[in-house]
Amino acid sequence: MDLRLLLPSLIPSSQSVYVLVFYFVYLAVAGEILPGKVIRGVVLSDGSQLRYRCNGLFALSLLVAILGISAKLGVLSPLVVADRGLELLSATFIFCVLVTLVLYITGRTSSDKSSSLKPHVSGNLLHDWWFGIQLNPQFIGIDLKFFFVRAGMMGWLLINLSILAKSFQDGSLSQSMILYQIFCALYILDYFVHEEYMTSTWDIIAERLGFMLVFGDLLWIPFTFSIQGWWLLHNKVELTVPAIIANCFVFLIGYMVFRGANKQKHIFKKSPKTPIWGKPPVVVGGKLLASGYWGIARHCNYLSDLMLALSFCLPCGISSPVPYFYPIYLLILLIWRERRDEERCAEKYKEIWAEYLRLVPYRILPYVY
């Protein structure tokens, strides 16, 4: 790789900045004015509940339609993302740094006592900047945490569509690229169909908004989750029929566990007595679900995440480790995260947690880990 060519391509151009500004402004406006189901978040420690307008699918569909019409009329090139990927990556990184510095400053100077905006200051500048100070900071009435994760998921699809357009234009479209695009599109569309489930996830209800989440949502999700697409754009892979069938099987099993586990947890938090798999739920201490997928492994959703990540990579074959960066990174992250989560839970639930460990002894993969 020639650094003399790479470094200039990382310098954001005015066009890449315009693309980001348009994207964020569109999401802010669409999120506020488009119709959608309004969901109440979990009850916070002060008794308050945030409201989330779950119109992400509408906003995404309208955006894709606008971009498609613009491309048809010659107003905007469908290759703008594929041709300026590194510029957009560096511009997004700069944006993440600036936003989190603002969040740090506003958090440090806040005197708000509400659960959403109460500052949590450790005194360590790097720690507070990285993990965040406030739980649910807002900007002109927009919940930034919910906004950023939506932007990241939509950005992933838009990058993929631009890569797809470039491969079609270059004449390099392959079965592998089509398979990868289908799997990712189904996953992303499913996310927005069930967007309300996001409101009961750990990131939304417990993590403060700092560089870790902002960077993860805005840069890591769209730009690293699409590595397979970029790789297939420059590497042709021919898959056998058995390989395609096996790849589909991994995706379907991963999706089944992913959607089932997240649905069970979301419904349990909203209505704890709802049957799971036709039976009354097993609940430890009135708080911890030990039924359904959550009775098989304490972090069964992590297993599904890993299977889905693997399914996105398998269309790339096994000739290079580059496309497998995502599941390898994800495996390391999830093992670190589940250990951190379990430490928190052990401290929070105490003897209840010990009973839960007895009922659900496996962390992620049953009978293995």
Side-chain angles (χ1 to χ4, degrees):
M1 183 177 293
D2 193 338
L3 291 179
R4 291 174 299 177
L5 298 176
L6 176 64
L7 294 179
S9 65
L10 283 169
I11 300 174
S13 65
S14 58
Q15 187 173 7
S16 63
V17 173
Y18 294 152
V19 169
L20 279 184
V21 170
F22 167 79
Y23 181 54
F24 289 134
V25 170
Y26 169 82
L27 289 184
V29 174
E32 291 299 306
I33 67 173
L34 293 181
K37 187 177 181 181
V38 178
I39 300 296
R40 287 182 176 272
V42 299
V43 178
L44 301 177
S45 59
D46 62 357
S48 63
Q49 284 181 285
L50 296 180
R51 294 188 177 188
Y52 302 94
R53 186 181 298 276
C54 296
N55 56 6
L57 184 62
F58 193 172
L60 176 59
S61 302
L62 181 59
L63 178 58
V64 171
I66 292 172
L67 295 177
I69 294 171
S70 299
K72 187 69 174 178
L73 296 176
V75 176
L76 180 69
S77 170
L79 309 183
V80 64
V81 176
D83 289 341
R84 298 179 180 274
L86 290 177
E87 287 184 22
L88 288 168
L89 184 149
S90 57
T92 303
F93 177 77
I94 293 171
F95 178 79
C96 291
V97 173
L98 294 177
V99 165
T100 50
L101 287 175
V102 172
L103 288 173
Y104 174 81
I105 294 170
T106 55
R108 283 296 303 262
T109 57
S110 173
S111 58
D112 200 298
K113 300 299 182 182
S114 67
S115 295
S116 289
L117 300 178
K118 180 181 178 180
H120 299 266
V121 181
S122 70
N124 183 315
L125 187 151
L126 185 60
H127 177 278
D128 292 340
W129 171 72
W130 181 268
F131 290 106
I133 293 177
Q134 294 175 307
L135 183 63
N136 297 299
Q138 298 184 351
F139 176 70
I140 58 174
I142 298 172
D143 183 87
L144 293 179
K145 195 188 294 184
F146 193 67
F147 177 84
F148 288 152
V149 71
R150 172 182 284 186
M153 292 298 292
M154 288 190 188
W156 179 15
L157 181 62
L158 296 178
I159 289 174
N160 278 351
L161 291 178
S162 188
I163 291 173
L164 180 63
K166 189 170 182 63
S167 69
F168 184 79
Q169 184 186 73
D170 294 346
S172 62
L173 188 61
S174 63
Q175 286 182 335
S176 297
M177 176 67 82
I178 294 172
L179 199 61
Y180 163 76
Q181 292 282 349
I182 290 174
F183 288 160
C184 290
L186 288 174
Y187 177 80
I188 296 167
L189 291 174
D190 175 82
Y191 171 88
F192 286 108
V193 168
H194 301 94
E195 189 176 27
E196 66 178 274
Y197 293 173
M198 184 63 192
T199 63
S200 60
T201 60
W202 181 265
D203 284 353
I204 292 293
I205 66 178
E207 294 282 13
R208 296 188 291 274
L209 187 62
F211 184 80
M212 181 181 73
L213 280 189
V214 175
F215 176 84
D217 291 340
L218 294 182
L219 192 145
W220 197 258
I221 288 176
F223 289 98
T224 64
F225 288 17
S226 59
I227 284 177
Q228 301 91 336
W230 293 107
W231 193 85
L232 286 171
L233 194 58
H234 302 285
N235 297 271
K236 193 172 182 62
V237 177
E238 295 294 339
L239 297 176
T240 64
V241 173
I244 293 174
I245 294 174
N247 198 168
C248 291
F249 181 77
V250 173
F251 174 79
L252 291 173
I253 296 298
Y255 172 77
M256 180 182 69
V257 177
F258 167 79
R259 179 49 54 217
N262 283 289
K263 183 177 181 179
Q264 287 174 358
K265 178 60 71 71
H266 180 77
I267 292 176
F268 171 72
K269 289 181 178 180
K270 298 292 183 180
S271 179
K273 295 183 179 180
T274 300
I276 293 178
W277 291 348
K279 298 179 180 179
V282 176
V283 183
V284 181
K287 298 178 179 180
L288 301 174
L289 178 63
S291 284
Y293 290 108
W294 302 95
I296 298 174
R298 300 195 293 274
H299 303 275
C300 54
N301 54 326
Y302 289 176
L303 175 61
S304 65
D305 289 339
L306 290 168
M307 292 185 69
L308 287 169
L310 181 61
S311 73
F312 300 152
C313 303
L314 290 175
C316 300
I318 57 174
S319 63
S320 171
V322 172
Y324 291 86
F325 170 80
Y326 171 29
I328 292 172
Y329 142 79
L330 190 62
L331 176 63
I332 296 171
L333 172 69
L334 293 182
I335 290 177
W336 169 78
R337 187 166 184 172
E338 63 89 6
R339 289 184 177 274
R340 185 190 65 160
D341 292 349
E342 297 223 346
E343 288 179 3
R344 288 183 177 182
C345 290
E347 181 179 349
K348 179 179 180 180
Y349 297 113
K350 297 181 172 58
E351 65 277 358
I352 296 176
W353 185 249
E355 175 62 15
Y356 178 63
L357 294 184
R358 186 186 67 80
L359 289 176
V360 189
Y362 301 106
R363 296 172 181 263
I364 297 177
L365 184 60
Y367 305 104
V368 177
Y369 178 74

